[in-house]
Amino acid sequence: MIPKIITGRGSTRRLIAYLFGKGTANEHVDPHLVGSWNDFAPDPGRSPQRDPKEVEKQLFTQLDQPITMLGSRAPKTTVWHCPVRAAPEDPVLSDAQWAEIARRIVAAAGIAPAGDAEACRWVAVRHADDHIHIAATLARQDGRRPRRDHDIRAAQREARKIEIDYGLRRLKPGDGTAAKRPTSKEHFKAKRQGQDATSREILRKRVRRAVAAASSEAEFFELLEATGMTVRPKTGPSGDVLGYSVALPGDVNEQDEPIWYSGSTLASDLSLPKIRQRLADCGPEPVVVRPGDPWHQATAATERIPHHLTHGDDRVAQGQLAALGGALALLPVTAPDTARAELERAAATFERATRSRIAADHTSARVLRRSVQTIWRNPTGQSDGAALAMLLNAMLTAVAFAMHWHRKHQHAQQEAAAGQAIVHLQTAYAQIAEPVLDNLARNAPTLQTKHRYAHHLKQAVPEHAERIIQDRAWDALAAVLAEAEATGHNAATILDQALNQRTLDDARSPARALTWRIQRLGQRHAPSPRAQAAKARSVAQHTAAPAPATTAGPPLRPPPVRRR
């Protein structure tokens, strides 16, 4: 159940007219009162013998009376409007149940505490099965102001209790960092225009993708315009750009003017100051980074995210999650058509898991951000899908660790978002990885070679060996080991390197995880036979050399303190 508080100025006349009208798309059905401050307020929907407009006037006049009586002493903000919506899967509630819910919401928000006869005047209007609208005026009947400190949080807390009491879908408590939801009006408009998403959601996705792809503020604004949005910078008296707003071409209001959305109204982290901070933190590296395959660099950086989440401080962890969200935002551009839709859903869902009250340190995520930007600029760098499958495999583990990190910090909404993102990522990963693994398996080595690899596996990781050998991906793993051997690598050595990169305990498929690791390691330059022989001699000498005898000296003590 979602209560959403909106405040305004002036009379309740326009609000009452809207609530009892047909709606913007004739969506209002049987509008009528289900509750009011005195339980007998005029009801335009249940007065068949009277002109509905006259009853509406009587209703808003009574609602406005405490404000009118104050005259010049009336507050500037006079109207309190709170739609309360149930989830689509919730049972249809009766008028009496909605009336009780309305009383609980206005009491929790400080509008009309239980038993307070001098509280604010309010009405609850129902014009659909799944929601009501509560309209109130922000002056008590005794002339005082209502005490509604933190009414938004109070209404949300009461909604969580109502969900339990009425057996409704239980929403996750938030921390105030969620992006603003599209309004009902925006949803109806998108439906009329045949769009799957509202303008707000489309703009948010495009702006977030531009933030992930940009290396500078100038490039950010260039990317916004390149995606077809209309951009309006906000400048101060000095001419400095202080913010920005965006609009979709053709999305206009009744006056045929563009409907603008500022970055901060799309999401808190999309305001220009926040974007500038991220771009500054992710600026050029102070040292020269050795060039390499951006897919391998992105995968290696993603594989380090679980370590940051379990061993780093919270600010670094939050920065890693923001970078992971940016990578997911850009990845659909590189994906084949079969998996693009699922990756879009994964990115949109995981977006909620990239923000919390913890300030993000973006500096530790520079490699991931820069490598994914390189991939985005040259998406044709991988042809068979193996590089994308490799990266998605690492992302699945990273998102799973993100879910556990949010659970540890009691970020309920973010934890749920990460869990939903995993489902979409698994589907996309299967669509991309299965053809790649099948293609690799066609080049599986002989049975004798596979037995040799299996023997080493049983010695190196006995706890996972049987599961790996029985996995469908075993032939693909053997194929990449044989390919690495053919390019000069030692199969046992490269397998040990892959095993030492990261534990297999949390891998969904150890065979697949090893396949991607060995394929990445195998594409590196193989050591020469002379270098391999020298390394073997060094290891043998180090193992055979006796440990030097140590002489225990006196224990170190702090110097004596002289007493005067």
Side-chain angles (χ1 to χ4, degrees):
M1 177 161 287
I2 303 174
K4 180 181 179 182
I5 295 174
I6 308 161
T7 57
R9 299 183 179 186
S11 170
T12 58
R13 178 180 61 83
R14 293 182 63 184
L15 176 58
I16 293 299
Y18 166 74
L19 296 179
F20 284 93
K22 295 181 179 180
T24 55
N26 293 322
E27 71 274 13
H28 294 178
V29 178
D30 186 25
H32 60 280
L33 292 183
V34 295
S36 66
W37 77 96
N38 58 5
D39 291 329
F40 54 84
D43 186 352
R46 293 292 184 268
S47 303
Q49 305 302 323
R50 300 180 58 191
D51 182 354
K53 294 299 180 182
E54 290 183 2
V55 185
E56 286 181 20
K57 181 178 180 181
Q58 185 181 4
L59 177 58
F60 73 71
T61 300
Q62 291 187 18
L63 274 174
D64 292 344
Q65 189 175 23
I67 298 290
T68 305
M69 295 291 290
L70 289 174
S72 61
R73 295 183 295 111
K76 291 183 179 180
T77 302
T78 56
V79 179
W80 189 88
H81 175 205
C82 180
V84 185
R85 186 178 298 273
E89 63 268 30
D90 286 339
V92 177
L93 301 175
S94 67
D95 283 356
Q97 289 173 317
W98 275 118
E100 178 59 26
I101 289 170
R103 292 187 188 95
R104 291 177 62 170
I105 293 293
V106 294
I111 297 297
D116 188 348
E118 299 297 324
C120 298
R121 294 185 175 185
W122 62 273
V123 293
V125 181
R126 183 179 190 180
H127 53 213
D129 285 341
D130 63 347
H131 70 278
I132 60 170
H133 291 259
I134 305 173
T137 43
L138 292 176
R140 291 168 50 87
Q141 296 178 73
D142 57 11
R144 294 183 294 147
R145 307 282 178 87
R147 298 185 63 179
R148 57 183 192 92
D149 299 336
H150 307 294
D151 56 350
I152 295 177
R153 294 184 185 179
Q156 292 290 347
R157 284 195 299 268
E158 189 63 27
R160 303 293 81 78
K161 297 176 184 177
I162 291 170
E163 290 163 357
I164 297 172
D165 294 342
Y166 284 84
L168 307 177
R169 175 187 171 188
R170 297 178 64 178
L171 299 184
K172 306 293 183 181
D175 59 0
T177 61
K180 185 177 180 181
R181 294 173 178 269
T183 64
S184 299
K185 186 176 180 180
E186 291 170 354
H187 275 300
F188 285 122
K189 184 175 182 179
K191 187 177 180 180
R192 286 199 314 272
Q193 296 176 344
Q195 297 177 348
D196 294 332
T198 64
S199 296
R200 181 188 301 275
E201 293 167 318
I202 295 170
L203 290 169
R204 182 185 298 137
K205 182 177 74 172
R206 293 184 184 180
V207 173
R208 193 168 295 285
R209 185 169 287 174
V211 173
S215 299
S216 65
E217 184 176 333
E219 186 181 10
F220 167 68
F221 281 110
E222 290 173 2
L223 289 170
L224 289 184
E225 294 180 348
T227 56
M229 290 183 285
T230 306
V231 184
R232 183 178 66 181
K234 177 184 177 182
T235 57
S238 63
D240 295 335
V241 178
L242 305 178
Y244 70 98
S245 297
V246 289
L248 284 178
D251 186 25
V252 296
N253 58 19
E254 295 175 353
Q255 289 75 38
D256 205 31
E257 299 170 338
I259 299 177
W260 297 99
Y261 296 84
S262 66
S264 59
T265 60
L266 295 176
S268 59
D269 60 335
L270 295 182
S271 67
L272 188 57
K274 293 286 183 68
I275 292 172
R276 281 173 172 163
Q277 182 62 50
R278 181 181 296 194
L279 291 173
D281 290 345
C282 299
E285 293 279 3
V287 295
V288 177
V289 180
R290 186 169 58 185
D293 187 328
W295 288 96
H296 291 180
Q297 291 174 342
T299 302
T302 304
E303 287 177 337
R304 289 192 290 271
I305 290 177
H307 175 80
H308 288 296
L309 296 180
T310 52
H311 297 92
D313 65 43
D314 286 344
R315 295 182 71 250
V316 169
Q318 187 64 65
Q320 292 287 325
L321 295 181
L324 180 58
L328 281 169
L330 293 179
L331 214 53
V333 179
T334 71
D337 294 340
T338 53
R340 187 167 297 160
E342 285 297 334
L343 286 177
E344 293 274 11
R345 295 186 188 101
T349 305
F350 189 73
E351 180 267 336
R352 179 65 190 98
T354 62
R355 292 187 308 281
S356 72
R357 289 288 181 184
I358 299 171
D361 178 2
H362 299 285
T363 55
S364 66
R366 285 173 172 170
V367 174
L368 175 58
R369 181 179 172 88
R370 192 148 314 134
S371 56
V372 173
Q373 287 174 344
T374 304
I375 292 170
W376 175 76
R377 292 185 178 96
N378 182 27
T380 58
Q382 56 106 24
S383 56
D384 61 353
L388 179 56
M390 189 186 309
L391 179 55
L392 286 178
N393 182 69
M395 283 183 166
L396 272 168
T397 302
V399 173
F401 271 80
M403 183 176 67
H404 291 294
W405 186 82
H406 282 305
R407 181 183 302 161
K408 173 185 172 184
H409 290 77
Q410 298 182 345
H411 299 158
Q413 290 184 355
Q414 292 90 329
E415 178 192 345
Q420 293 169 6
I422 287 176
V423 176
H424 296 301
L425 276 177
Q426 285 174 333
T427 304
Y429 173 69
Q431 292 169 337
I432 293 169
E434 291 296 342
V436 176
L437 293 170
D438 290 343
N439 189 46
L440 288 172
R442 294 190 185 98
N443 299 316
T446 63
L447 192 60
Q448 182 180 2
T449 303
K450 288 165 65 175
H451 282 319
R452 176 162 56 88
Y453 297 157
H455 176 72
H456 186 74
L457 267 175
K458 291 175 181 177
Q459 289 184 323
V461 278
E463 67 276 20
H464 294 294
E466 282 303 322
R467 183 182 172 194
I468 293 172
I469 295 169
Q470 298 299 324
D471 196 296
R472 283 183 55 203
W474 167 237
D475 281 348
L477 172 56
V480 295
L481 275 169
E483 184 180 350
E485 270 192 318
T487 58
H489 289 276
N490 180 282
T493 301
I494 200 170
L495 185 56
D496 287 339
Q497 289 175 346
L499 290 169
N500 290 332
Q501 278 187 348
R502 176 171 168 71
T503 179
L504 296 174
D505 293 341
D506 51 27
R508 295 178 180 272
S509 170
R512 294 187 180 196
L514 285 176
T515 300
W516 308 129
R517 293 180 195 177
I518 290 169
Q519 189 173 53
R520 195 164 80 246
L521 290 168
Q523 291 175 5
R524 296 178 181 175
H525 183 67
S528 65
R530 180 178 296 180
Q532 292 184 17
K535 183 177 180 180
R537 287 195 301 270
S538 175
V539 171
Q541 291 172 2
H542 180 75
T543 305
T550 58
T551 304
L556 294 176
R557 295 188 177 92
V561 178
R562 293 186 178 181
R563 300 182 182 273
R564 294 185 178 180

